[in-house]
Amino acid sequence: MLGAIVGDIVGSIYEWDNIKTKEFPLFQESCHFTDDTVMTIAVAEAIMNGGKKDDFINAMKKYGRMYPNAGYGGKFRKWLFSDSREPYNSYGNGSAMRVSPCAWIIDCGFTARTGFISDAVEFAETSAKVTHNHKEGVSGAMATAEAIFLCRYYFGGYCGDYEKPINDNPTECKRRIKKYIEREYGYDLSMTLDEIRPSYCFDSTCQGSVPQAIIAFLESTDFEDAIRNAVSIGGDSDTIAAITGSIAEGAYGIPNWIKEKAISYLDEPLKSVLMRWKRFVHEL
Ligand SMILES: [Mg+2]
């Protein structure tokens, strides 16, 4: 989940000021955390509280109200501050940028033994549906969570009985992830970043940004490169970088200096959830 936070912070200054290049200083003084970070933290806390529908609603409303000006979309902001606990059929990319904690609570070893990954998908689905209950809103969250989980699985050297680990072959890991996501979610992941970049502009829908974010990961060589890829296509930069960063973390991990730098942009309440989450995942 820290991968999402890194992407959000790095991309924060480019959302309304797109740059179409990979050449930029990764962290600038004016970078800051935005709604993507706040809602990722809310999803982590919701899972630690039990991961039921009400836990997600409570945590999102709690953190949303603590950070009222983090940059929410209009309808989500209205929901946050209303008494409504009903979803509003959103297909915005908010469901995908906040979902990453859901992909870290499954045991890769268990999946290797059983082929079973339903926990990730179930939490991802619940986390999306409390607001983003449109089919595309749910798909965006689930595709992102599954991509993160599959990165943890393949890049982590896990495999089923009678199979061989493929973690020495990142190209093969990515080929399988791409094929799986295309088949399950109907996304077209065949375009390259060079093809996307020239005409891509702001699109805050799941279907108009999650595929691009996944491609930014598929074309990457390491964590930092993935974040640079995500920012380089323009569009909703902080959110695309958050989604790409969350997937890249599953594959490559995050270099320590980037972790430390990103955490330095957070305040105490957010940091404390992050620390609790680290212990929670460690103890699973
Ligand atoms: Mg944002």
Side-chain angles (χ1 to χ4, degrees):
M1 70 176 287
L2 188 55
I5 295 174
V6 173
D8 177 41
I9 292 168
V10 171
S12 61
I13 54 175
Y14 304 115
E15 179 177 5
W16 305 114
D17 194 8
N18 277 184
I19 46 166
K20 299 259 181 179
T21 170
K22 290 174 73 168
E23 304 300 319
F24 57 90
L26 200 61
F27 290 97
Q28 309 233 41
E29 229 172 278
S30 53
C31 286
H32 51 277
F33 69 82
T34 80
D35 53 337
D36 309 64
T37 292
V38 175
M39 285 301 125
T40 297
I41 289 284
V43 165
E45 184 165 285
I47 292 172
M48 292 189 282
N49 287 344
K52 297 275 180 292
K53 179 182 156 194
D54 280 334
D55 299 315
F56 287 106
I57 296 172
N58 292 341
M60 285 177 200
K61 290 207 181 229
K62 172 184 162 186
Y63 286 95
R65 291 171 188 191
M66 271 169 73
Y67 300 92
N69 301 313
Y72 311 101
K75 284 187 189 152
F76 185 73
R77 197 169 193 284
K78 203 173 149 214
W79 179 86
L80 279 179
F81 288 92
S82 74
D83 292 330
S84 167
R85 299 177 69 82
E86 296 305 313
Y88 55 91
N89 208 32
S90 174
Y91 49 86
N93 54 18
S95 61
M97 56 75 155
R98 71 192 183 201
V99 78
S100 58
C102 303
W104 286 91
I105 47 167
I106 325 137
D107 177 353
C108 289
F110 177 77
T111 301
R113 291 190 300 277
T114 62
F116 197 64
I117 60 165
S118 78
D119 269 8
V121 180
E122 216 170 278
F123 278 109
E125 189 175 3
T126 311
S127 78
K129 277 187 172 168
V130 295
T131 50
H132 290 51
N133 56 326
H134 186 282
K135 182 179 158 290
E136 291 291 348
V138 178
S139 283
M142 290 172 67
T144 303
E146 290 219 81
I148 298 168
F149 176 73
L150 290 173
C151 283
R152 291 180 54 217
Y153 188 81
Y154 289 128
F155 284 81
Y158 292 92
C159 59
D161 295 342
Y162 315 113
E163 284 175 348
K164 270 171 52 185
I166 53 166
N167 55 325
D168 58 348
N169 185 351
T171 309
E172 176 60 13
C173 295
K174 288 176 180 166
R175 190 192 66 79
R176 290 199 196 176
I177 295 165
K178 175 173 180 274
K179 199 175 134 197
Y180 179 86
I181 300 291
E182 286 187 322
R183 192 185 65 213
E184 292 295 310
Y185 296 97
Y187 289 160
D188 177 5
L189 303 177
S190 65
M191 278 176 86
T192 64
L193 294 177
D194 284 341
E195 287 165 348
I196 294 168
R197 197 175 289 112
S199 61
Y200 189 62
C201 46
F202 190 88
D203 186 332
S204 64
T205 67
C206 269
Q207 60 274 37
S209 57
V210 176
Q212 288 77 2
I214 296 173
I215 292 168
F217 159 70
L218 293 171
E219 275 192 34
S220 67
T221 53
D222 58 30
F223 180 83
E224 182 176 339
D225 190 53
I227 299 285
R228 292 185 181 281
N229 278 347
V231 170
S232 79
I233 60 170
D236 190 357
S237 290
D238 55 338
T239 297
I240 292 177
I243 298 167
T244 303
S246 69
I247 301 170
E249 179 184 14
Y252 313 115
I254 307 174
N256 274 335
W257 80 269
I258 295 181
K259 277 188 195 170
E260 282 159 23
K261 187 72 186 171
I263 291 170
S264 74
Y265 286 88
L266 302 180
D267 66 4
E268 289 309 319
L270 297 180
K271 269 192 233 177
S272 91
V273 180
L274 199 60
M275 293 309 136
R276 271 199 288 136
W277 174 257
K278 245 174 103 174
R279 283 197 299 274
F280 178 79
V281 171
H282 188 72
E283 284 163 13
L284 284 176

